[in-house]
């Protein structure tokens, strides 16, 4: 699933193509919004909010969440789409570009954004980022595994599975460790912020500082391979609040001692 930095870059791309321009076409291919047509209206702004994307037109917001397969692509007039037309769920056109949302996991048109993003915690890449609030949120349930808490968008918005695994490794914490035993929460939140900020403008996410192919991550996706720091075999598991929400965890059992 795309993480906050991916959605942040998508918002930048859409902002450049749409904001301040009058729509010459608007096609929302969701039955509930089949009659919605913003043709003739000006796009006011585009913003990412955690993993959500908000396109504001007049008093309305076109809200999307990419989920697993979704993507927004921008095309010049007459340019051939790189994905099949039947996958398109939203098409916004102006005189200089077309923005097409393919396979969007969620697509709504709302007047009140709080309906769709009001529950989110502080956005790591947002102008309103508030580390103090994120730290307080993170410490609310000290018995919850830190690896689960970091994925909870109500606590802080923007982290996905890659970041939670890499942040836990960099802090030397087994992701199954309870929040109350995970150490200084300020340092965890600060590392989360610095890591995603460092990657917000990169097409390829890197946490090791090494951009060579295959060397971008410490543990994510490296099951059964030697730890880059100590050589111990990287382990794999599943972690979530319930079986339906379990996601992959990768960890070094030496660098990240298991919770007692």
């Amino acid at each position: 699933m795309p993480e906050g930095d991916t959605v942040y870059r998508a918002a930048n791309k859409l902002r450049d193509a749409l904001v301040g321009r009058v729509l010459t076409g608007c096609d929302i291919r969701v039955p509930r919004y089949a009659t919605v047509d913003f043709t003739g209206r000006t796009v006011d702004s585009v913003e990412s909010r955690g993993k959500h994307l908000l396109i504001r037109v007049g008093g309305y917001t076109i809200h999307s969440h990419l989920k697993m397969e979704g993507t927004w692509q921008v095309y010049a007039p007459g340019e051939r789409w790189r994905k099949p037309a039947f996958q398109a769920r939203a098409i916004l056109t102006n005189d200089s570009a077309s923005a097409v949302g393919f396979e969007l996991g969620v697509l709504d048109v709302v007047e009140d954004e709080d309906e769709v993003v009001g529950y989110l915690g502080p956005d790591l890449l947002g102008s309103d980022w508030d580390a103090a609030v994120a730290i307080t949120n993170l410490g609310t349930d000290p018995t919850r595994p830190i690896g689960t808490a970091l994925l909870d968008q109500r606590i802080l918005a923007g982290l996905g599975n890659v970041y939670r695994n890499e942040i836990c490794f960099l802090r030397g914490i087994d992701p199954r460790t309870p929040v109350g035993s995970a150490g200084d929460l300020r340092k965890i939140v600060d590392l989360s912020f610095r890591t995603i900020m460092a990657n917000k403008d990169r097409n390829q996410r890197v946490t090791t500082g090494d951009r060579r192919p295959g060397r971008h991550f410490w543990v994510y996706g490296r099951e059964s391979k030697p730890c880059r720091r100590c050589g111990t075999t990287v382990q794999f598991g599943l972690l979530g609040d319930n079986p339906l929400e379990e996601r992959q965890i990768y960890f070094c059992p030496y660098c990240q001692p298991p919770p007692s």
Side-chain angles (χ1 to χ4, degrees):
M1 183 179 294
E3 309 201 17
D5 52 355
T6 301
V7 182
Y8 175 88
R9 289 190 295 275
N12 288 345
K13 179 172 60 178
L14 292 175
R15 188 179 301 115
D16 291 342
L18 297 175
V19 171
R21 294 182 171 89
V22 176
L23 292 176
T24 57
C26 174
D27 185 1
I28 308 296
R29 297 181 176 179
V30 177
R32 182 178 179 183
Y33 305 109
T35 60
V36 171
D37 187 0
F38 294 127
T39 299
R41 299 195 183 189
T42 300
V43 175
D44 300 310
S45 64
V46 178
E47 183 180 345
S48 63
R49 186 81 173 87
K51 301 181 183 182
H52 300 254
L53 210 153
L54 308 170
I55 302 172
R56 302 183 179 111
V57 186
Y60 295 88
T61 297
I62 302 170
H63 160 253
S64 60
H65 193 299
L66 304 182
K67 295 293 184 178
M68 293 297 293
E69 306 294 338
T71 181
W72 278 94
Q73 297 181 358
V74 175
Y75 296 94
E79 183 180 359
R80 184 176 179 178
W81 292 357
R82 296 184 294 277
K83 284 181 169 287
F86 73 85
Q87 293 180 353
R89 301 194 70 202
I91 307 165
L92 304 175
T93 306
N94 57 41
D95 288 338
S96 60
S98 291
V100 186
F102 294 98
E103 298 186 281
L104 302 173
V106 175
L107 182 60
D108 303 300
V109 179
V110 298
E111 291 185 82
D112 182 2
E113 290 182 1
D114 279 349
E115 293 179 15
V116 289
V117 295
Y119 70 95
L120 295 175
D123 182 359
L124 285 153
L125 293 175
S127 59
D128 59 346
W129 166 244
D130 192 326
V133 172
I135 293 164
T136 299
N137 291 348
L138 189 58
T140 299
D141 184 355
T143 66
R144 193 180 191 188
I146 185 67
T148 301
L150 287 174
L151 286 187
D152 190 335
Q153 303 300 294
R154 297 169 298 180
I155 291 176
L156 68 170
L159 296 184
N161 202 33
V162 175
Y163 280 117
R164 74 102 168 242
N165 279 288
E166 295 294 284
I167 288 163
C168 284
F169 175 82
L170 289 167
R171 288 299 303 155
I173 307 165
D174 185 303
R176 299 165 295 185
T177 302
V179 168
S181 303
D184 193 333
L185 300 185
R186 292 172 300 175
K187 292 182 178 180
I188 295 173
V189 169
D190 179 63
L191 179 63
S192 301
F193 173 75
R194 290 188 289 111
T195 305
I196 199 169
M197 282 293 291
N199 282 284
K200 67 183 177 68
D201 296 316
R202 295 175 182 164
N203 289 325
Q204 177 59 60
R205 193 175 293 125
V206 178
T207 59
T208 60
D210 190 338
R211 299 191 185 189
R212 290 177 291 176
R215 302 185 67 85
H216 297 156
F217 302 132
W218 291 100
V219 291
Y220 180 79
R222 302 193 66 249
E223 176 189 2
S224 301
K225 295 182 179 180
C227 173
R228 298 192 192 281
R229 183 173 288 166
C230 73
T232 303
T233 301
V234 173
Q235 302 295 305
F236 167 84
L238 295 171
L239 182 66
D241 285 329
N242 59 66
L244 294 178
E245 296 180 358
E246 287 183 334
R247 304 280 299 281
Q248 303 96 330
I249 54 172
Y250 303 89
F251 56 95
C252 170
Y254 181 79
C255 295
Q256 300 165 264
S260 56

